[in-house]
Amino acid sequence: VVVDSRDTVTSMCLWQREGDSFAGPRVLLDHRCSFHVQKVHAHPLFTPDGNKLLYTSDKNGYGNLYLADIPEDITQLPELVLPENYRFPKIV
């Protein structure tokens, strides 16, 4: 599972399924999207083989596509460290 976020958390984070639960979140990258318009939301998408992640960012001022490698073992990635009182938004 990949999640893009903004405001307090600006990282592209990965969770990996382990049986009935998920390990993570692990930080894959800092997407640096401005979210000014719909075209520059990150819109992450795994490649069919699951080895790379395609996403959009306007980190250099223009909306561009980027392709990031995903390690086989996501425990090689740093754990997401959140502010002490941070709560993930509720999904309804």
Side-chain angles (χ1 to χ4, degrees):
V1 175
V2 64
V3 175
D4 67 328
S5 179
R6 62 189 236 190
D7 298 325
T8 306
V9 179
T10 60
S11 302
M12 195 80 69
C13 297
L14 297 175
W15 280 261
Q16 189 168 30
R17 187 174 191 147
E18 292 184 347
D20 292 338
S21 63
F22 289 88
R26 299 286 181 155
V27 178
L28 178 63
L29 54 90
D30 185 8
H31 56 68
R32 296 177 52 201
C33 295
S34 68
F35 293 90
H36 289 308
V37 294
Q38 184 67 19
K39 291 179 183 177
V40 292
H41 289 207
H43 300 291
L45 178 70
F46 289 105
T47 56
D49 63 8
N51 293 326
K52 296 183 186 300
L53 186 74
L54 180 68
Y55 68 99
T56 305
S57 178
D58 60 338
K59 63 183 178 181
N60 64 355
Y62 299 95
N64 287 301
L65 296 173
Y66 295 89
L67 195 59
D69 291 324
I70 298 174
E72 283 186 35
D73 179 9
I74 71 163
T75 62
Q76 297 172 358
L77 300 172
E79 291 183 20
L80 177 63
V81 178
L82 296 169
E84 192 172 311
N85 294 323
Y86 184 82
R87 300 254 188 261
F88 281 103
K90 240 183 167 177
I91 299 173
V92 243

